[in-house]
């Protein structure tokens, strides 16, 4: 009975803010016009216009010190829902610039910003990059857990009494990072868990796309019992169409990317799980994960079929309601486990 109750909790948690699906968008090389173009293209990639959400990594427009990223007015113009991001693998001065840009966005756009923001992620894979595994792959600068927790609290303090006062605050990282016991406090500090899963890069590479898809779902399902009843959103996954450096496991290519999409993205859509695919237009040279040919054509089109058929009947719960739901689910989860409810400081 207890197992069935927990399963129900995880199901509720992961459909409480369902119906947000889209792509990741890099700040590099993008301005208002290119963001607007990409957001419009995203909606056209399925007959039902399903892909109407965008995940960002930073609040700061490229080439500026603290100017608000121009994805925000582009999202307002195209009615695109945003999962905002503040880049956290920086020192205190660098993060203060992210906070100033967030503050400026709230004062500039007010209620219009509230209408399009569904959540805020503080950081992206910071704990993974700071780990031994991340360092071994030369993945770049990460962030210490204690600093990251402080940054999350700074964001919560900034949101108090603001137009985004009840917006869920979370973090994005890998399963390895979340299962590392030294990082356990991060799950207590957030309202949602952003999870990046890339079977393509597994240490023991999958021998087929079918095996890779199975690996994805095993990783996702193993995260659910660890999330303290909080929603788990898929913030990055994907499959490259080009990767000259690949030497083992399932190959890159359009055919395999399309197959991975059908087995993962279409199933995420059917289950009403929030997800942001990596990536609409890839700024990296290699491997190339982009799902469109925007590098070759300014109008852009999909490299393979991204339409999963009829859209799932997902409830589109308002952000404030989802925070309340998350809090109640977390309380029930903690009670079932014989502990006092661990309360995130919901703003």
């Amino acid at each position: 009975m207890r197992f069935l109750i927990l399963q129900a909790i995880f199901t509720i948690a992961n459909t409480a803010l369902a119906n947000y699906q889209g792509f990741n968008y890099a700040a590099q090389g993008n301005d208002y016009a290119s963001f607007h173009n990409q957001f419009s293209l995203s909606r056209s990639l399925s007959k039902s216009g399903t892909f109407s959400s965008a995940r960002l990594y930073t609040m700061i427009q490229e080439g500026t010190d603290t100017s608000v990223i121009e994805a925000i007015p582009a999202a307002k113009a195209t009615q695109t829902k945003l999962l905002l991001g503040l880049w956290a693998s920086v020192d205190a001065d660098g993060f203060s610039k992210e906070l100033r840009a967030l503050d400026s966005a709230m004062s500039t756009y007010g209620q219009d910003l509230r209408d399009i923001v569904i959540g805020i992620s503080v950081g992206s894979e910071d704990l993974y990059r700071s780990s031994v595994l991340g360092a071994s792959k030369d993945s770049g600068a990460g962030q210490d857990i204690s600093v990251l927790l402080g940054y999350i609290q700074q964001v919560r303090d900034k949101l108090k009494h603001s137009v985004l006062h009840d917006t869920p605050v979370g973090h994005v990282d890998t399963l390895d990072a979340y299962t590392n016991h030294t990082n356990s406090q991060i799950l207590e500090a957030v309202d949602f868990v952003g999870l990046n899963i890339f079977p393509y890069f597994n240490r023991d590479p999958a021998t087929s796309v079918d095996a890779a898809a199975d690996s994805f779902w095993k990783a996702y399902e193993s995260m659910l019992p660890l999330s303290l009843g909080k929603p788990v959103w898929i913030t990055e996954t994907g499959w490259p169409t080009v990767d000259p450096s690949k030497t083992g496991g399932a190959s890159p290519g359009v055919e395999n990317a399309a197959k991975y999409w059908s087995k993962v993205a279409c199933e995420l859509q059917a289950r009403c799980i929030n997800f942001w695919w990596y990536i609409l237009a890839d700024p990296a040279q290699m491997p190339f994960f982009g799902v469109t040919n925007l590098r070759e054509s300014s109008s852009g089109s999909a490299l393979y079929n991204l339409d999963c058929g009829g859209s799932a009947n997902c409830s589109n719960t308002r952000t404030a309601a989802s925070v309340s739901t998350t809090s109640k689910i977390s309380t029930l989860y903690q009670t079932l486990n014989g502990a006092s409810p661990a309360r995130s400081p919901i703003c």
Side-chain angles (χ1 to χ4, degrees), residues 16-17 20 114-115 117-119 163-168 191 233 316-328 346-347:
L17 220 176
Y20 295 114
R114 176 181 171 81
D115 290 343
V117 171
I118 62 172
V163 69
L164 298 181
H165 65 92
D166 55 1
T167 300
D191 303 319
W233 300 349
N316 196 353
T317 311
R318 287 185 60 83
T319 300
S322 75
V323 174
S324 175
T325 301
T326 299
S327 179
K328 292 174 183 176
I346 306 295
C347 301

Side-chain angles (χ1 to χ4, degrees), residues 19-229:
N19 211 22
Y20 295 114
Q21 298 150 16
F23 299 93
N24 287 266
Y25 295 84
Q28 297 94 322
N30 282 321
D31 56 14
Y32 175 85
S34 59
F35 279 125
H36 190 288
N37 181 46
Q38 290 178 58
F39 293 164
S40 298
L41 173 61
S42 177
R43 284 180 176 272
S44 73
L45 296 177
S46 71
K47 294 176 183 177
S48 58
T50 301
F51 308 121
S52 57
S53 184
R55 176 186 171 230
L56 307 176
Y57 293 84
T58 178
M59 290 298 303
I60 301 172
Q61 178 61 31
E62 184 187 31
T64 73
D65 205 35
T66 58
S67 295
V68 177
I69 190 167
E70 292 175 10
I72 291 178
K76 176 177 174 288
T78 56
Q79 297 184 314
T80 298
K81 301 295 186 181
L82 293 177
L83 175 55
L84 295 178
L86 284 79
W87 191 251
S89 288
V90 289
D91 61 15
D93 181 62
F95 195 71
S96 70
K97 294 176 181 178
E98 292 279 351
L99 289 173
R100 287 204 293 275
L102 173 61
D103 197 42
S104 179
M106 291 189 293
S107 61
T108 300
Y109 297 104
Q111 183 62 39
D112 287 339
L113 184 66
R114 176 181 171 81
D115 290 343
I116 60 174
V117 171
I118 62 172
I120 298 175
S121 173
V122 181
S124 180
E125 295 193 357
D126 310 85
L127 299 175
Y128 164 74
R129 288 194 301 276
S130 67
S131 69
V132 173
L133 177 60
S136 71
K137 295 183 179 295
D138 196 25
S139 56
Q143 191 56 272
D144 180 77
I145 178 64
S146 61
V147 175
L148 186 58
L149 291 170
Y151 286 174
I152 290 172
Q153 188 57 51
Q154 287 181 50
V155 171
R156 291 195 182 281
D157 292 342
K158 179 68 68 175
L159 297 184
K160 286 179 181 177
H161 312 300
S162 79
V163 69
L164 298 181
H165 65 92
D166 55 1
T167 300
V169 176
H171 173 67
V172 169
D173 230 302
T174 66
L175 183 63
D176 284 336
Y178 286 127
T179 54
N180 185 331
H181 69 91
T182 62
N183 297 329
S184 60
Q185 287 178 285
I186 196 71
L187 296 171
E188 299 172 3
V190 298
D191 303 319
F192 68 87
V193 177
L195 182 61
N196 292 354
I197 307 174
F198 283 94
Y200 181 79
F201 292 125
N202 279 358
R203 280 168 282 185
D204 297 317
T207 56
S208 69
V209 176
D210 287 329
D214 288 344
S215 176
F216 171 90
W217 287 109
K218 286 177 182 177
Y220 171 75
E221 288 163 5
S222 68
M223 185 70 236
L224 297 182
L226 305 176
S227 69
L228 307 183

